[in-house]
Amino acid sequence: MDTLEEIFGKTAQMTVLKNLIAHKEESTYLSGIADETGLSHSSVARVITPLIRSGIVIEKPLGKQIRTFRLNLDNEKTSLILEFYSNLNKIKD
């Protein structure tokens, strides 16, 4: 368990956010996040929605049914989350 999970608990949304942070320079699909995290496709879809609404994640449609997701590195909230996560990892026991 990493420091972020120790503080906030292990939730599906935290798991998705950590996955997006690990791939912050890349776009990914719901299926890719689900495969990498072990969460169901529906769980990923459910918990990524508030991240999109808050501007932390950018959703980009590709065609009629395919969507990609990536961290919004231009968003101030995202910058603060990345800085917080980085600083937490620096002080890990």
Side-chain angles (χ1 to χ4, degrees):
M1 180 176 295
D2 77 359
T3 308
L4 202 59
E5 290 174 352
E6 289 175 13
I7 296 169
F8 297 108
K10 184 171 179 149
T11 64
Q13 191 167 34
M14 189 66 64
T15 301
V16 167
L17 183 59
K18 284 175 37 184
N19 178 268
L20 291 167
I21 289 170
H23 302 285
K24 67 183 174 200
E25 302 294 332
E26 308 165 17
S27 292
T28 188
Y29 303 94
L30 283 180
S31 298
I33 297 170
D35 289 345
E36 288 190 17
T37 62
L39 296 170
S40 69
H41 190 275
S42 61
S43 290
V44 174
R46 177 179 48 83
V47 301
I48 206 165
T49 300
L51 296 172
I52 295 166
R53 277 196 307 256
S54 68
I56 293 169
V57 172
I58 297 170
E59 174 184 14
K60 182 179 178 186
L62 292 177
K64 292 183 180 181
Q65 295 184 330
I66 300 172
R67 304 178 296 163
T68 63
F69 304 90
R70 68 178 299 134
L71 281 181
N72 182 359
L73 298 177
D74 296 326
N75 183 286
E76 187 176 359
K77 293 175 199 170
T78 307
S79 297
L80 291 171
I81 290 168
L82 291 172
E83 181 180 349
F84 177 72
Y85 189 64
S86 174
N87 288 336
L88 270 181
N89 287 328
K90 287 178 188 173
I91 60 170
K92 235 172 142 176
D93 294 326

